[in-house]
Amino acid sequence: MRHTIETIGRVVSPYTQKFGIARQPGLVPAAEVRIVLEPRFGADSVRGLETFGYIWLHFIFHGVLDEGWSPLVRPPRLGGKRKMGVFATRSPHRPNHLGLSLLKLEGIDCTNGVSIRCSGADLLDGTPVVDIKPYIPFVEAKPDAASGFAGEAPPLLDVVWQTGAVGLSDGLKRLIAQSVAQDPRPAYQDIPERIYVMEIAGLAVKFRINGRTAVILSAEAV
């Protein structure tokens, strides 16, 4: 059986490549995005949404559509060495490439079309949005639920700026530091001398990781 899902909007995000995106929503609070709805969805479609603190965003992992899917994947939390069933993970390589993120709602602008501002995003720029729902704590918050092999949030790296970050706003510095602190490297890779490059908010950020410390070497316009 086939079903048709239409895009209702797209995400404008500082993350312009897959490498460096937070692996889960909420891990990088400084990652702010805008959800721009299609013109056919006016102010009436979001009436009352401003009274909620968080939203569920349903989207398409459009960056991996041509990579297919597999019934078994290697979760980063397991060091990339053990395989788990795709439905026991949040891998983007899924049969229908559908994603779900819980985002903090920062505001809604209906001045010229509908634009929804959110933070704590883990979304690639241009991500197609297929649905939005309000988060309801009394039915959806389960703090005592088992988290399987995912366990607790991984420890963050210590971030040191070798560059003076001249000309960067405080918000942009927070975004870069919080993103690098998540350790975006593949789980199997630990090469202290290697220089990694992450494109974010129009900048090419170069950094090196040694042990639990990440050193940002430069942040220059792409």
Side-chain angles (χ1 to χ4, degrees):
M1 184 179 295
R2 291 183 176 272
H3 300 277
T4 300
I5 298 178
E6 296 185 1
T7 299
I8 66 168
R10 295 201 177 261
V11 173
V12 178
S13 169
Y15 294 117
T16 54
Q17 64 175 23
K18 290 181 287 184
F19 178 68
I21 297 178
R23 292 191 174 101
Q24 301 293 342
L27 295 180
V28 180
E32 297 185 355
V33 298
R34 286 188 300 117
I35 303 163
V36 181
L37 298 188
E38 296 288 340
R40 67 182 184 276
F41 299 105
D44 284 346
S45 66
V46 293
R47 184 186 301 174
L49 187 61
E50 74 282 355
T51 65
F52 293 88
Y54 288 79
I55 62 170
W56 288 110
L57 190 75
H58 301 252
F59 60 92
I60 303 293
F61 285 110
H62 70 300
V64 296
L65 286 176
D66 60 346
E67 297 177 13
W69 74 282
S70 173
L72 291 172
V73 298
R74 300 178 187 271
R77 290 306 304 274
L78 296 178
K81 299 178 181 179
R82 294 174 55 193
K83 291 184 178 182
M84 290 291 170
V86 64
F87 298 131
T89 76
R90 297 190 176 189
S91 168
H93 299 93
R94 320 185 68 78
N96 289 305
H97 295 91
L98 290 174
L100 178 67
S101 286
L102 180 63
L103 306 178
K104 184 179 180 182
L105 179 60
E106 299 289 355
I108 303 174
D109 184 0
C110 298
T111 304
N112 184 19
V114 177
S115 178
I116 303 171
R117 293 186 296 107
C118 298
S119 62
D122 57 341
L123 301 161
L124 183 65
D125 187 52
T127 291
V129 177
V130 296
D131 200 8
I132 297 169
K133 294 184 178 73
Y135 169 74
I136 303 175
F138 79 90
V139 294
E140 295 172 338
K142 307 294 182 183
D144 297 326
S147 56
F149 61 82
E152 299 180 351
L156 300 176
L157 298 177
D158 294 323
V159 178
V160 177
W161 290 78
Q162 177 173 295
T163 174
V166 177
L168 299 184
S169 67
D170 290 341
L172 191 49
K173 285 188 286 187
R174 283 194 298 272
L175 172 61
I176 293 172
Q178 290 176 11
S179 298
V180 172
Q182 303 295 323
D183 194 351
R185 298 175 299 173
Y188 56 83
Q189 203 166 92
D190 186 12
I191 308 173
E193 63 274 14
R194 177 165 182 171
I195 295 177
Y196 298 87
V197 182
M198 177 175 66
E199 291 187 11
I200 183 169
L203 297 173
V205 178
K206 295 182 179 180
F207 60 95
R208 182 184 289 121
I209 297 176
N210 190 350
R212 300 304 304 171
T213 299
V215 180
I216 298 178
L217 306 174
S218 64
E220 301 176 347
V222 177

